Amino acid sequence: MPKKQRTFLCCLGDYRPPEIVVGSPDSSRPIILQPIDPSLPMPSEEELDIKFAELVDELDLTSHHREAMFSLPPEKKWQIYCTKKREQDDPSSRNWPDYYIERINAMVMLLFPRDEDEIAVRTQQVDSLKTALRTQPMSFVIRFIELDGLNCLLSFLKEMDYETEQSSIHTSVIGCIKALMNNSQGRANVLAHPDSISIIAQSMSTENIKTKIAVVEILGAVCLVPGGHRKVLDAMQHYQKHACERTRFQTVVNDLDRSTGVYKEEVNLKTAIMSFINASINYGPGQEHLEFRVHLRYEFLMLGIQPVLDKLRTHGNSTLDRHLDFFELLRSEDDKEVAKRFGKVHVDTKSASSMFDAIKKKVSHTAAFPHFLSLLEHSLLLPLDLGSCPQHWRLFDRIVQQIVLQNENDEDPDIHEININVKEIVQMLATEDEIMTAKEKAEILEKENQEMADLLSRKDKQLEDAIMNKVRWTPAFSCLSLVARLRGMPCL
């Protein structure tokens, strides 16, 4: 199916790194300028611009804020440059990642504090790293990556106890990962880690709403990154086992449905979840493949998401409503596309008889119809005791899903419990059909050859009889001719 351009309403915007305001009075994290050392004379304006450009490049700013920085007067540029360089030249300061990694590693070994002040201190330490990852130059992020800072954060998430999981410390650690991913090199580092997204997804089990929102936002954003969608599906499969879910996305739909009692928190959580659901359906393989979108959306519908969506309308929140509208709009478009394949305006996917009639009409009077009947007949023979044998039907379902989803390159965009190579099996069946067809043709030719041989045998017999008769009558005719010549009579 040709690729569709879709506008996506994501709670993280279009997933670009957040704007970093440096030295702005309305910024929550401005550069704290220090007095200029009189022993350091300000260089010429040309030299200053070169040094300042190097500093701005390290800050990884957007084009808008780069222009704002370069428009500052020379004195302010020099003051900013000296302040940042002084911070970078002090390895023992908080402007180096070594300081934060050491303290977070130490936290992993400590028990959860009972004192609220100690909780606040630890949270502040982690928050300081989050701020540094957002505001420090690129060299800070690179050194953080080189010192294996990501594994430090992931180890904390894996080793934390239940109390820490519910605390603000957990929220701040997830915030550090978000800040790291807002940087291009940091994001590449997170996505290159084989287990990072799965470990992050485990944090959905927390009851802390802020943490849960941050985790869902990360998962939704990763869906938009090339190669990230598959990692998210892997992470949801991992979380299903981690949380002992009956099916994946069960916690996602449950959190979408439950009430927290706090309107702002509840709306923010539900908005983040709807953003994630829309991203998981419509990005990755869903950008181009109708079959994948219908497949994944049906998984959410089977979990009972439709009545939940209807209930969310009562919140009266415009941002949440836009996400709901986006879900319903694309669902309607895809339903029309599916119906068009059957020459219909609409196929009621809630009605088994309606879907059966559409398929029956499509395959009737085709070579597929006998196989369709065989499928139905064997379905009648499947165990009907759903209490003890539902897995037979589940297996049937999973096999059909893979037949639908696998592409020509034998790639399956989703994660399945079983793996079959649909293309290889189809080719094998096609070869088998070719062999059977050739065998039938050979039998026909053999029959024709036998009939021809019988005919030739009969002709040979007739010819042989004719020759024998000719040989038997030839002497008599010769004698009569001789007598006739002797008598001067014309020969017979």
Side-chain angles (χ1 to χ4, degrees):
M1 181 177 177
K3 181 176 180 179
K4 288 188 176 182
Q5 297 294 329
R6 296 176 181 270
T7 302
F8 179 59
L9 303 170
C10 179
C11 58
L12 295 184
D14 56 355
Y15 191 59
R16 291 174 298 183
E19 296 180 346
I20 302 173
V21 181
V22 179
S24 174
D26 60 347
S27 173
S28 60
R29 47 182 187 275
I31 296 174
I32 301 175
L33 299 180
Q34 300 176 5
I36 299 176
D37 188 346
S39 64
L40 294 175
M42 188 173 72
S44 65
E45 187 169 347
E46 181 180 355
E47 185 180 353
L48 175 60
D49 285 341
I50 294 174
K51 292 178 178 291
F52 193 70
E54 293 176 355
L55 173 64
V56 172
D57 289 340
E58 285 189 348
L59 292 175
D60 196 26
L61 301 177
T62 62
S63 59
H64 172 72
H65 286 99
R66 285 176 62 90
E67 293 176 5
M69 291 286 283
F70 283 117
S71 67
L72 294 172
E75 294 78 11
K76 184 66 68 175
K77 289 181 181 178
W78 180 238
Q79 189 177 12
I80 292 173
Y81 179 82
C82 290
T83 299
K84 298 302 292 183
K85 284 301 178 184
R86 191 176 301 146
E87 292 173 352
Q88 293 174 18
D89 294 339
D90 183 10
S92 63
S93 73
R94 298 190 177 190
N95 298 298
W96 285 66
D98 313 52
Y99 171 86
Y100 300 102
I101 293 174
E102 180 181 346
R103 276 152 183 75
I104 293 177
N105 281 330
M107 284 186 202
V108 176
M109 308 301 295
L110 299 175
L111 295 175
F112 181 75
R114 301 300 176 185
D115 183 11
E116 291 293 332
D117 292 338
E118 178 61 24
I119 296 175
V121 169
R122 295 188 189 182
T123 302
Q124 181 57 44
Q125 288 179 341
V126 182
D127 279 339
S128 298
L129 172 60
K130 177 175 64 176
T131 302
L133 287 169
R134 288 176 174 170
T135 61
Q136 290 291 343
M138 180 67 76
S139 56
F140 180 95
V141 178
I142 293 174
R143 182 164 177 80
F144 180 82
I145 294 172
E146 291 174 347
L147 293 174
D148 213 11
L150 175 61
N151 268 328
C152 169
L153 297 174
L154 296 177
S155 295
F156 184 93
L157 295 178
K158 287 192 294 184
E159 302 296 333
M160 64 182 174
D161 54 25
Y162 176 79
E163 289 81 3
T164 304
E165 183 182 356
Q166 312 307 323
S167 71
S168 58
I169 303 173
H170 185 192
T171 309
S172 296
V173 172
I174 293 295
C176 288
I177 296 176
K178 281 189 68 178
L180 182 63
M181 293 185 69
N182 280 333
N183 177 284
S184 56
Q185 294 199 33
R187 182 164 60 251
N189 181 233
V190 173
L191 293 175
H193 192 286
D195 302 317
S196 60
I197 307 302
S198 295
I199 295 171
I200 294 168
Q202 289 179 188
S203 293
M204 287 196 301
S205 60
T206 181
E207 296 299 320
N208 188 310
I209 300 301
K210 290 183 179 179
T211 306
K212 197 181 286 285
I213 291 172
V215 172
V216 174
E217 285 178 345
I218 290 175
L219 296 176
V222 172
C223 285
L224 314 183
V225 179
H229 193 279
R230 180 74 178 207
K231 287 184 174 290
V232 171
L233 293 180
D234 281 327
M236 298 312 299
Q237 200 81 7
H238 168 80
Y239 184 77
Q240 178 185 349
K241 298 176 182 177
H242 173 76
C244 299
E245 292 182 321
R246 182 177 56 86
T247 61
R248 64 178 179 178
F249 299 119
Q250 186 175 334
T251 295
V252 173
V253 176
N254 289 344
D255 286 338
L256 189 65
D257 187 32
R258 74 171 182 165
S259 175
T260 64
V262 180
Y263 177 80
K264 185 176 180 180
E265 281 189 350
E266 186 171 326
V267 168
N268 288 342
L269 175 60
K270 296 179 187 306
T271 301
I273 291 175
M274 281 306 306
S275 172
F276 166 63
I277 291 174
N278 284 330
S280 63
I281 293 174
N282 299 289
Y283 280 79
Q287 284 184 288
E288 298 181 353
H289 298 293
L290 167 70
E291 293 82 3
F292 179 82
R293 294 196 301 273
V294 173
H295 158 75
L296 204 59
R297 186 183 296 114
Y298 187 71
E299 189 169 342
F300 284 106
L301 293 171
M302 287 294 288
L303 287 169
I305 197 175
Q306 188 57 57
V308 177
L309 300 182
D310 297 338
K311 188 167 65 173
L312 292 181
R313 296 285 185 183
T314 61
H315 285 81
N317 182 273
S318 59
T319 304
L320 178 57
D321 285 344
R322 284 199 298 272
H323 286 287
L324 298 173
D325 292 340
F326 188 74
F327 180 90
E328 295 293 351
L329 173 64
L330 297 185
R331 180 188 178 186
S332 176
E333 289 181 358
D334 289 343
D335 286 348
K336 290 177 181 177
E337 188 68 29
V338 171
K340 192 185 299 183
R341 295 182 176 184
F342 293 91
K344 292 177 173 286
V345 177
H346 175 69
V347 175
D348 186 4
T349 54
K350 297 178 183 178
S351 168
S353 59
S354 176
M355 290 188 287
F356 173 82
D357 290 340
I359 298 172
K360 179 183 175 183
K361 183 178 178 181
K362 186 74 174 180
V363 301
S364 292
H365 308 296
T366 69
F369 190 68
H371 302 291
F372 177 63
L373 290 179
S374 175
L375 185 149
L376 294 176
E377 183 173 356
H378 285 89
S379 296
L380 291 174
L381 303 176
L382 284 173
L384 297 178
D385 184 0
L386 301 183
S388 61
C389 300
Q391 306 310 327
H392 295 84
W393 293 90
R394 183 181 178 185
L395 173 62
F396 195 8
D397 182 25
R398 292 294 186 267
I399 292 174
V400 174
Q401 287 180 22
Q402 290 206 42
I403 293 173
V404 170
L405 293 176
Q406 281 191 23
N407 57 30
E408 294 181 355
N409 298 323
D410 306 330
E411 296 174 350
D412 192 339
D414 202 355
I415 313 298
H416 292 288
E417 298 95 332
I418 58 173
N419 290 299
I420 59 174
N421 191 317
V422 175
K423 183 178 179 181
E424 181 179 328
I425 295 173
V426 169
Q427 289 177 342
M428 182 180 68
L429 292 174
T431 303
E432 182 180 326
D433 287 343
E434 291 173 0
I435 293 173
M436 291 182 65
T437 302
K439 186 177 179 181
E440 290 174 357
K441 288 182 178 179
E443 290 176 352
I444 293 173
L445 290 174
E446 185 179 354
K447 183 178 180 181
E448 291 177 351
N449 288 338
Q450 186 61 44
E451 291 176 351
M452 182 64 69
D454 293 343
L455 178 61
L456 290 174
S457 178
R458 290 195 299 272
K459 292 293 185 183
D460 287 343
K461 185 69 169 61
Q462 292 174 1
L463 181 59
E464 185 180 344
D465 293 344
I467 292 173
M468 292 300 295
N469 290 332
K470 185 175 182 181
V471 170
R472 187 180 304 119
W473 287 100
T474 296
F477 280 107
S478 298
C479 292
L480 290 175
S481 298
L482 179 60
V483 173
R485 287 196 189 98
L486 292 173
R487 293 179 179 178
M489 295 175 64
C491 294
L492 294 176

